[in-house]
Amino acid sequence: MTEDPPKRRTLSLKPGVQVTRPLGPQPLTPLKADRPARPPRAPRPFREPKPVERPAHGWKCKPCGTFFDPPAEGPDEEVIRCPNCNARLGIAGDFRQTPPPSRLRARPMRH
Ligand SMILES: [Zn+2]
């Protein structure tokens, strides 16, 4: 083993060009200290429009023809009534069946 590391040739772009930058470790202070460091802004992902899972007024009351929506959540035994004529149209569980049972007194409008 040699005590002195082998001297490497200093690479220069052109012969005769002197290196003006002081050799050695880079200074720790950033060169552009006047500008606040801003993290690189990530490109915004393209947001697809959300598909409408439950369109508004997906059902139509058979007795009076009023468009309405049964509650999306709740017990299946909940009685669904027409918001206009207050007719008992069925229970919430029946509205969630596919296809809806014929005993429902409402017509699905989304098909
Ligand atoms: Zn009605």
Side-chain angles (χ1 to χ4, degrees):
M1 288 297 182
T2 58
E3 296 188 4
D4 292 334
K7 285 191 176 181
R8 301 173 62 180
R9 268 189 70 213
T10 304
L11 297 177
S12 57
L13 297 176
K14 291 179 183 176
V17 173
Q18 286 193 350
V19 178
T20 56
R21 188 168 59 85
L23 298 177
Q26 294 282 341
L28 293 178
T29 54
L31 295 178
K32 297 178 181 178
D34 52 339
R35 274 191 183 182
R38 191 181 289 182
R41 185 177 289 184
R44 276 193 179 184
F46 178 72
R47 299 179 65 180
E48 293 186 6
K50 275 190 175 180
V52 180
E53 297 179 359
R54 179 175 287 273
H57 306 304
W59 292 81
K60 182 180 181 182
C61 170
K62 279 183 182 178
C64 76
T66 296
F67 295 100
F68 73 100
D69 278 317
E73 296 178 8
D76 287 349
E77 300 82 12
E78 183 179 356
V79 176
I80 306 300
R81 291 183 178 276
C82 173
N84 183 45
C85 68
N86 205 33
R88 186 188 187 278
L89 304 178
I91 61 175
D94 289 342
F95 280 91
R96 292 159 188 163
Q97 291 187 23
T98 306
S102 58
R103 63 175 173 268
L104 276 181
R105 296 177 70 192
R107 190 186 301 273
M109 301 303 296
R110 50 188 162 182
H111 298 299

